[in-house]
Amino acid sequence: MEDKNKPGKKIPRRTMLRAAAVSAAAALMGATGVQRAPGAGALTDTAMGKIPGIDPTKVPGTLPGKLGTRSPFERPEKKPSDISARTPLQELYGIITPSDLHFERSHAGVPLIHPDKYELLIHGMVERPMIFTLRDLKRFPAVSRIAFIECSGNFRSGRETMTPQEICGLTSQSEWTGVMLSTLFREVGVHPKATWFLAEGSDAAVMTRSIPVEKGWKDAMIAYGQNGEAIRPEQGYPARLFLPGWEGNTNVKWIRRIELSDQPFMTREETSKYTETIRDHKIRQFSFDMDARSIITYPSYPQQVEKGWIEIRGIAWSGRGKIDRVEISTDAGKHWTKAVLQEPVMDKAHTYFRYLWYWDGKPTEIMSLAVDDTGYRQPTLKQLVQARGTDMGGYHVNPVTAWMLKSDGTVLFKPEKWK
């Protein structure tokens, strides 16, 4: 057997080139005094984005395919329960939520509906009751807009080890494409005295909500597209009602029927579920608009930071209009400073904000506060309780959220209780 360590054995050319490249890189780093960024680890194969033991410049990569995929090193996931699945807000960049990470909320699971069998009936107080197929809907002039959807029950608290996903991950944003409901209203001839319409879904729960006709004329849409593709089944495929800025349950998915009337229908969902207990034993009903809100997504739990410059980042949104400003406090609410809003700032849409801050390493609390263009200012939990009472339900709870920074760089949620 040949001795591979025998003096004088010819070294393979590829080995020589690889060694030369490594030596040159090491020499260059030493000569130029290159330093790693704070917190950077050793330049291992994995850290350099390589598969251990394989130099990606020496091996052909994957050939083009029919569908794109995420890097195997990126694994964002929704957090599911029996009735919902939350968006990983802390893992997103920008304001568009990938379609497969858009939050879910259903009342009887996701139905399977063949697009060729889909029909939307519009009847009641109209001149011409009509049935529209999916093909019919797509023949009308199409519109697209970027806007968020948020569940009205989008707030959780209770422990320090909670992520933004767990606290308020029932909000997501997409570019929605479809036909304006006003176009269909004109097609069927809505009666002038019709003031409400019933939106009914094709799920096993037959989800229904009463919606003011005024909203239908203003900006409602029957959406069949999401982020450039057909709307996802979890979001209402083949088509859903989309009501920009209004609580998620009114945006009825898998919509199959719209009935016009001169009064609300008082359905099961809007009487037994989507009503809110407030002060003096009163009930608030038909509270459609989602109020202004914000949350810091970095730094947040379970991230860890180091002393020095930190860019505080997050999202803010309002169902009543545009975000006017976001204020940041880095001293537990004693002082507030404006953050930078990332353009474009759109109506009824998530808005990305940033604030550059130097952390001295001392324990503190950071928080954000959103103000929309109506003048509405995001409240603290204490202010919400003062306005609604301790018996307020779990809907439309949008308090300022605080993160605690420990001296070792640990970031924890600051839970609050109102009962």
Side-chain angles (χ1 to χ4, degrees):
M1 181 179 295
E2 183 180 0
D3 184 359
K4 295 182 180 181
N5 296 317
K6 181 179 179 180
K9 176 176 174 59
K10 186 177 180 179
I11 300 176
R13 183 171 181 273
R14 178 171 293 183
T15 301
M16 290 180 65
L17 291 173
R18 184 179 299 170
V22 172
S23 298
L28 180 62
M29 292 179 69
T32 59
V34 173
Q35 298 182 357
R36 302 201 205 294
L43 291 178
T44 62
D45 283 342
T46 300
M48 294 176 69
K50 302 177 182 178
I51 298 174
I54 298 178
D55 182 344
T57 67
K58 308 301 180 184
V59 180
T62 304
L63 296 177
K66 293 183 178 180
L67 293 174
T69 59
R70 287 192 179 92
S71 165
F73 303 107
E74 302 294 331
R75 299 185 179 89
E77 293 181 338
K78 290 185 287 191
K79 192 176 184 66
S81 68
D82 291 341
I83 60 173
S84 66
R86 296 168 178 267
T87 295
L89 300 176
Q90 68 278 0
E91 297 183 56
L92 303 185
Y93 304 97
I95 59 173
I96 298 296
T97 307
S99 296
D100 61 348
L101 295 178
H102 194 290
F103 86 89
E104 294 178 49
R105 172 70 172 96
S106 61
H107 294 74
V110 178
L112 178 63
I113 302 173
H114 196 289
D116 293 343
K117 302 295 184 181
Y118 174 79
E119 292 182 340
L120 170 61
L121 166 66
I122 302 182
H123 67 130
M125 294 179 67
V126 300
E127 295 177 5
R128 298 173 296 277
M130 299 181 71
I131 294 176
F132 300 92
T133 65
L134 185 61
R135 180 182 176 84
D136 293 332
L137 296 178
K138 291 181 177 180
R139 291 180 63 189
F140 288 103
V143 294
S144 294
R145 71 170 295 172
I146 294 173
F148 74 89
I149 295 180
E150 180 181 15
C151 176
S152 60
N154 190 26
F155 178 66
R156 294 290 183 275
S157 185
R159 67 180 194 280
E160 295 181 345
T161 55
M162 293 182 72
T163 65
Q165 179 177 29
E166 294 170 306
I167 298 165
C168 60
L170 294 179
T171 183
S172 303
Q173 178 153 286
S174 295
E175 179 188 49
W176 305 98
T177 300
V179 56
M180 297 302 294
L181 186 54
S182 58
T183 300
L184 302 182
F185 277 180
R186 285 190 291 269
E187 194 74 9
V188 299
V190 172
H191 195 285
K193 291 187 178 181
T195 53
W196 290 81
F197 70 87
L198 178 75
E200 180 181 275
S202 300
D203 58 332
V206 192
M207 174 69 182
T208 49
R209 281 302 312 261
S210 297
I211 309 296
V213 168
E214 180 182 8
K215 181 67 172 177
W217 283 114
K218 181 180 180 181
D219 59 2
M221 179 190 299
I222 300 298
Y224 49 74
Q226 178 185 13
N227 295 337
E229 63 176 355
I231 199 167
R232 294 289 177 106
E234 298 85 358
Q235 302 309 318
Y237 182 87
R240 75 176 299 164
L241 178 64
F242 178 51
L243 305 175
W246 282 23
E247 58 184 10
N249 64 84
T250 62
N251 294 250
V252 175
K253 296 184 282 189
W254 316 290
I255 189 164
R256 70 174 184 176
R257 187 168 70 93
I258 290 176
E259 181 180 353
L260 280 294
S261 177
D262 58 0
Q263 59 185 328
F265 290 79
M266 295 301 176
T267 70
R268 175 192 64 216
E269 305 300 338
E270 61 203 36
T271 54
S272 66
K273 285 188 173 65
Y274 298 110
T275 58
E276 304 141 49
T277 303
I278 56 175
R279 185 179 293 280
D280 300 326
H281 306 289
K282 294 181 179 180
I283 298 294
R284 186 171 71 160
Q285 191 176 27
F286 300 129
S287 51
F288 297 117
D289 295 288
M290 297 306 297
D291 294 317
R293 190 174 190 178
S294 66
I295 187 167
I296 292 171
T297 55
Y298 181 85
S300 62
Y301 179 81
Q303 299 149 358
Q304 188 149 354
V305 296
E306 296 185 358
K307 178 181 177 180
W309 289 105
I310 296 173
E311 185 178 63
I312 297 173
R313 299 187 286 266
I315 54 173
W317 62 99
S318 173
R320 299 181 187 275
K322 294 182 180 180
I323 290 297
D324 179 70
R325 66 184 184 275
V326 173
E327 299 175 5
I328 301 294
S329 175
T330 58
D331 58 5
K334 296 183 180 68
H335 302 89
W336 295 87
T337 307
K338 282 186 180 181
V340 174
L341 302 184
Q342 175 67 55
E343 294 291 343
V345 178
M346 295 175 289
D347 183 60
K348 301 176 181 63
H350 286 174
T351 299
Y352 207 69
F353 65 82
R354 298 181 174 88
Y355 179 73
L356 193 60
W357 169 57
Y358 187 87
W359 181 43
D360 59 11
K362 297 179 182 178
T364 189
E365 295 177 15
I366 61 173
M367 56 190 74
S368 63
L369 184 156
V371 181
D372 67 22
D373 61 0
T374 71
Y376 179 92
R377 186 177 179 88
Q378 183 182 2
T380 63
L381 188 59
K382 181 179 179 181
Q383 289 171 328
L384 281 172
V385 172
Q386 289 174 341
R388 301 181 190 174
T390 56
D391 291 331
M392 67 176 180
Y395 299 123
H396 294 269
V397 181
N398 60 322
V400 170
T401 301
W403 298 101
M404 302 179 292
L405 269 64
K406 304 298 185 181
S407 57
D408 63 355
T410 300
V411 185
L412 296 171
F413 171 56
K414 183 179 181 180
E416 296 182 88
K417 296 181 179 179
W418 71 83
K419 291 185 178 181

